[in-house]
Amino acid sequence: MSRVSPLKAATLHDVAREAGVSLITASRALSNPALVSDKTIERVRTAVEATGYIPNLLAGGLKSRRSLMVAGLVPTISVPQFLPTVKALTETLDAAGYQLILGQSGYDHSREQKLLNTMLSRRPDGIVITGLVHSPAAREQLRRVGIPVVETWDLSDRPVDMMVGISHVKVGSAVAGFFLARGWQRLGIATGDDHRAMMRREGFIAAAGREVPSAIVPAPSSVEMGRRAMAELLEKDPHIQAVYCSSDAFAHGLMIEARSRGLRIPQDLVVCGFGDADFAAHIDPSLTTARVDGAAIGRIAAQMIIDRCQGRAVPQPVVDVGFQIVERESTGGAAA
Amino acid sequence: MSRVSPLKAATLHDVAREAGVSLITASRALSNPALVSDKTIERVRTAVEATGYIPNLLAGGLKSRRSLMVAGLVPTISVPQFLPTVKALTETLDAAGYQLILGQSGYDHSREQKLLNTMLSRRPDGIVITGLVHSPAAREQLRRVGIPVVETWDLSDRPVDMMVGISHVKVGSAVAGFFLARGWQRLGIATGDDHRAMMRREGFIAAAGREVPSAIVPAPSSVEMGRRAMAELLEKDPHIQAVYCSSDAFAHGLMIEARSRGLRIPQDLVVCGFGDADFAAHIDPSLTTARVDGAAIGRIAAQMIIDRCQGRAVPQPVVDVGFQIVERESTGGAAA
DNA sequence: CTGTTAGCGCTTTCAG
DNA sequence: CTGAAAGCGCTAACAG
């Protein structure tokens, strides 16, 4: 590998000299052109080309106290459920000139505080967190730094700052209500052990009015875990009729296992997932699921951060994006 | 100090005063403790606690010219195939004190250059790119900035700098060889239109020795696209025997569609995917696929960047992580 | 519209 | 082992 000698990158100083203007004029020509004459802008632009100048946002941010970075914390990037959110977040932020720094907190709460510190040391202009901030220390710290914070994918009455998500308890209740309304009595739950999934379970049990057989697996859930969970539930209740699962991949696994044991879906067993993953409508049988618009969560969260960074008030600091039970073949609905 | 104001975060200056040492001693106590007496370190630590100090890496990086950030460019975050890579990358970098800034270039090459500039303006200490850098301008620019660059998930004889991936042409050939060795003659391909998938197709066709019916869809491929692609292939050849797909989700979709048309897998049709996604072993029938260790790609890429940043030579700047055809039920193999 | 003067918070360099 | 001085590259604040 031929490494080019560490010849210093051009600075704004070089651009200014090349263009025959002062440093600050060059700066303004690039970042606030309204204050500069067209002719000067043109000369600066030419000088930028000639020198191959690439702005140094770190340097600018030091003085202006805007890093144009937003920290994004997810439990783990490999949960497909959050992908549309991360994607929309990245895109919306990018369009406004902000970049996302990604952090994975794991499902382990103790890492949260450490990761938060790491992120804060980069002086992000905002923070988007998947889930709620639970640790009081972290909540207090986030409040103190005074940057916009959005908690996502959940709702509570004590937001650190802003919030966009859904009520997981309501999702659970809605699914249980849906099952009961169809006359299915022998219910079951297969769920990951993360906070949001457990809240859905609570809502489910509350609406069912009684404890139900549960298979609880360590988050994140998967097709593989789904097969095992199905086996576990059938052991607990061989005549189980309706199972609610904490993710679509998980539900998919349950259905595969159920079928391999000769159970017909939906005739012998009905299944409902969560998230409306891209495959949910297209597997066989197609999967009934609670749909959440993850991309909207990302878009709204990004916009909240952007608005606040640009000094605009956020009209609605807590947004419930809601959910919708999409009925498909796995509960006796139509294919589409 | 009782007054807590969000206006001013504590700086190292405050810590130094609190600890009764000079600014630079406080700095060293935190970032180079070997040069400082234990007693001083202790006092600085206490002062950090007392002031709630959070280091400002932007400020330090300005002088030291190390941002401790690595830019990661993916076509889009929502391709599950790259998730293990991004995950391993994030984790390995994090363990060494580096954070990942995420950028999505889309499958549109024109965005690549723009995104690259955006990223470079953050002065990352390294860049990891999914795929090869194709544009000559971008290649030249990356060389000029002189930071470590790793191209991933592909191999070529002209790396910008370092490289860790696989030969997609070889994957295609291997799958075609595998099909032919089993005596399947009527081959087909269902593939996304991205560069890597098309390279696999070329390898497949070369090994097959002839053109084969192809269904080509815009990347990223999905279960839904898979169903459509199956329909398209059956139109082109109603007696098609073996289909190679550019992703496991895609292959899954093909199998679902084939089954819904009464075709038995593997008796009437065999299918091979790519990537060994988490569900591949657990769907029914389980999916034969070309396995690539995406996490290893991320780990190795991160380590290359770290090594170079810390002044160590990278022993092997181009790494082929290889692949492996994992035979399962979709081609007549065993369940596991 | 353009320029001058001060730093932003930290680390490097060079002295003790 | 500790410290003082000198910036890193840029932009806010205030002149002209």
Side-chain angles (χ1 to χ4, degrees):
Chain A
M1 240 354 284
S2 63
R3 309 275 333 138
V4 179
S5 65
L7 84 166
K8 264 186 310 226
T11 72
L12 194 52
H13 186 99
D14 301 323
V15 173
R17 204 183 29 195
E18 177 84 16
V21 298
S22 76
L23 185 64
I24 186 64
T25 298
S27 169
R28 284 198 275 247
L30 295 175
S31 52
N32 206 346
L35 299 178
V36 180
S37 76
D38 289 355
K39 203 184 69 187
T40 305
I41 290 174
E42 192 45 43
R43 276 165 59 196
V44 172
R45 289 248 166 87
T46 310
V48 166
E49 295 284 321
T51 53
Y53 172 68
I54 298 173
N56 183 334
L57 256 38
L58 301 187
L62 190 57
K63 182 69 186 173
S64 67
R65 305 173 154 292
R66 289 176 310 129
S67 64
L68 295 178
M69 297 195 297
V70 172
L73 308 195
V74 293
T76 145
I77 184 79
S78 42
V79 184
Q81 186 191 316
F82 299 133
L83 251 40
T85 304
V86 175
K87 182 165 145 65
L89 201 52
T90 310
E91 287 168 354
T92 310
L93 289 173
D94 182 86
Y98 291 79
Q99 255 65 54
L100 188 75
I101 338 172
L102 192 66
Q104 301 184 94
S105 54
Y107 278 99
D108 155 24
H109 279 197
S110 72
R111 248 190 72 75
E112 188 179 74
Q113 181 68 50
K114 188 178 164 298
L115 183 62
L116 200 55
N117 265 309
T118 306
M119 288 310 197
L120 287 177
S121 69
R122 311 227 102 108
R123 295 298 187 269
D125 292 340
I127 300 194
V128 177
I129 296 177
T130 306
L132 305 177
V133 182
H134 291 101
S135 122
R139 295 175 64 85
E140 172 59 20
Q141 181 174 39
L142 280 172
R143 286 224 174 80
R144 277 188 31 180
V145 298
I147 60 177
V149 175
V150 187
E151 295 166 277
T152 65
W153 271 98
D154 208 339
L155 293 175
S156 84
D157 13 339
R158 310 183 313 144
V160 169
D161 181 6
M162 296 175 288
M163 207 166 239
V164 45
I166 59 167
S167 160
H168 291 267
V169 171
K170 279 188 192 164
V171 172
S173 310
V175 174
F178 168 78
F179 282 169
L180 294 173
R182 299 294 162 96
W184 296 308
Q185 296 286 336
R186 303 188 76 129
L187 310 181
I189 294 188
T191 184
D193 64 354
D194 60 281
H195 177 259
R196 285 171 295 285
M198 293 308 270
M199 286 297 104
R200 296 199 290 277
R201 177 167 178 265
E202 282 191 13
F204 188 94
I205 289 172
R210 56 175 181 278
E211 273 296 329
V212 300
S214 300
I216 301 181
V217 307
S221 54
S222 63
V223 171
E224 181 180 8
M225 295 301 225
R227 296 193 72 155
R228 289 199 214 151
M230 184 77 258
E232 187 181 337
L233 285 177
L234 283 171
E235 238 166 68
K236 293 188 173 168
D237 179 2
H239 302 293
I240 197 163
Q241 292 176 306
V243 181
Y244 166 57
C245 307
S246 64
S247 80
D248 285 353
F250 205 36
H252 189 194
L254 266 94
M255 294 202 296
I256 291 168
E257 183 64 25
R259 275 191 155 185
S260 82
R261 289 162 177 254
L263 293 172
R264 293 163 308 160
I265 295 170
Q267 295 90 336
D268 303 322
L269 178 75
V270 305
V271 174
C272 177
F274 175 78
D276 197 21
D278 56 1
F279 61 81
H282 306 288
I283 56 177
D284 180 35
S286 57
L287 179 64
T288 293
T289 190
R291 174 189 291 163
V292 177
D293 190 344
I297 292 179
R299 256 190 327 267
I300 294 169
Q303 200 56 55
M304 284 171 161
I305 299 276
I306 294 165
D307 282 350
R308 276 277 270 284
C309 286
Q310 301 183 345
R312 286 189 295 275
V314 172
Q316 205 188 334
V318 175
V319 174
D320 184 345
V321 298
F323 64 93
Q324 175 186 8
I325 295 182
V326 183
E327 187 167 11
R328 301 204 181 95
E329 294 165 337
S330 70
T331 55
Chain B
M1 308 296 260
S2 58
R3 195 183 66 106
V4 173
S5 159
L7 296 178
K8 269 265 184 222
T11 71
L12 194 52
H13 185 96
D14 302 323
V15 173
R17 206 185 26 195
E18 178 85 15
V21 298
S22 75
L23 183 65
I24 182 60
T25 298
S27 169
R28 284 197 276 247
L30 296 176
S31 52
N32 206 345
L35 299 179
V36 180
S37 76
D38 288 355
K39 202 185 70 187
T40 305
I41 289 174
E42 194 42 43
R43 276 164 59 197
V44 171
R45 290 248 167 88
T46 310
V48 166
E49 297 283 323
T51 54
Y53 173 69
I54 299 173
N56 184 333
L57 256 38
L58 301 187
L62 189 56
K63 183 70 186 172
S64 66
R65 304 173 157 291
R66 289 175 310 129
S67 64
L68 297 178
M69 297 194 296
V70 172
L73 308 194
V74 292
T76 146
I77 185 77
S78 43
V79 184
Q81 186 191 317
F82 299 133
L83 252 38
T85 303
V86 175
K87 182 166 146 64
L89 201 52
T90 309
E91 286 169 355
T92 311
L93 288 173
D94 182 85
Y98 291 78
Q99 256 66 54
L100 188 75
I101 339 173
L102 192 65
Q104 301 184 87
S105 55
Y107 278 100
D108 155 25
H109 278 197
S110 71
R111 250 191 71 75
E112 188 179 74
Q113 181 68 49
K114 188 178 164 297
L115 183 62
L116 200 55
N117 265 308
T118 305
M119 289 308 199
L120 288 178
S121 69
R122 311 227 103 109
R123 296 296 188 268
D125 291 340
I127 301 193
V128 177
I129 297 176
T130 307
L132 305 176
V133 182
H134 292 100
S135 122
R139 295 175 64 84
E140 173 58 19
Q141 182 174 39
L142 281 173
R143 286 222 174 81
R144 290 241 310 244
V145 298
I147 60 177
V149 175
V150 186
E151 294 165 278
T152 65
W153 272 98
D154 208 338
L155 293 174
S156 85
D157 19 342
R158 309 183 311 146
V160 168
D161 181 5
M162 297 176 288
M163 208 166 237
V164 45
I166 58 166
S167 161
H168 292 267
V169 171
K170 278 188 194 163
V171 172
S173 310
V175 174
F178 169 78
F179 282 169
L180 294 173
R182 299 294 162 97
W184 297 307
Q185 294 286 337
R186 303 187 77 126
L187 309 181
I189 295 187
T191 184
D193 65 352
D194 60 281
H195 177 260
R196 287 172 294 285
M198 293 307 270
M199 287 297 105
R200 296 198 289 276
R201 177 169 177 263
E202 282 191 14
F204 188 94
I205 289 172
R210 57 177 180 279
E211 272 297 329
V212 301
S214 300
I216 301 181
V217 307
S221 55
S222 63
V223 171
E224 181 180 7
M225 295 299 224
R227 297 194 70 156
R228 290 199 213 151
M230 184 78 258
E232 187 181 338
L233 285 177
L234 284 171
E235 238 167 68
K236 292 186 173 170
D237 179 2
H239 302 294
I240 197 164
Q241 291 177 307
V243 181
Y244 166 58
C245 307
S246 64
S247 80
D248 285 353
F250 206 35
H252 189 194
L254 267 94
M255 293 203 298
I256 291 168
E257 184 64 25
R259 275 190 154 185
S260 81
R261 288 162 178 253
L263 292 173
R264 293 164 306 160
I265 294 171
Q267 295 89 335
D268 304 321
L269 178 74
V270 305
V271 174
C272 176
F274 176 78
D276 197 21
D278 55 1
F279 60 82
H282 306 288
I283 56 177
D284 178 36
S286 57
L287 179 64
T288 294
T289 189
R291 173 189 292 163
V292 177
D293 190 344
I297 292 179
R299 255 190 328 267
I300 295 169
Q303 200 55 55
M304 284 172 160
I305 298 277
I306 294 165
D307 281 351
R308 277 277 270 283
C309 286
Q310 301 183 344
R312 287 188 296 274
V314 171
Q316 205 188 334
V318 176
V319 174
D320 184 344
V321 297
F323 63 93
Q324 176 186 7
I325 295 182
V326 183
E327 187 167 11
R328 302 203 182 97
E329 294 165 335
S330 71
T331 56

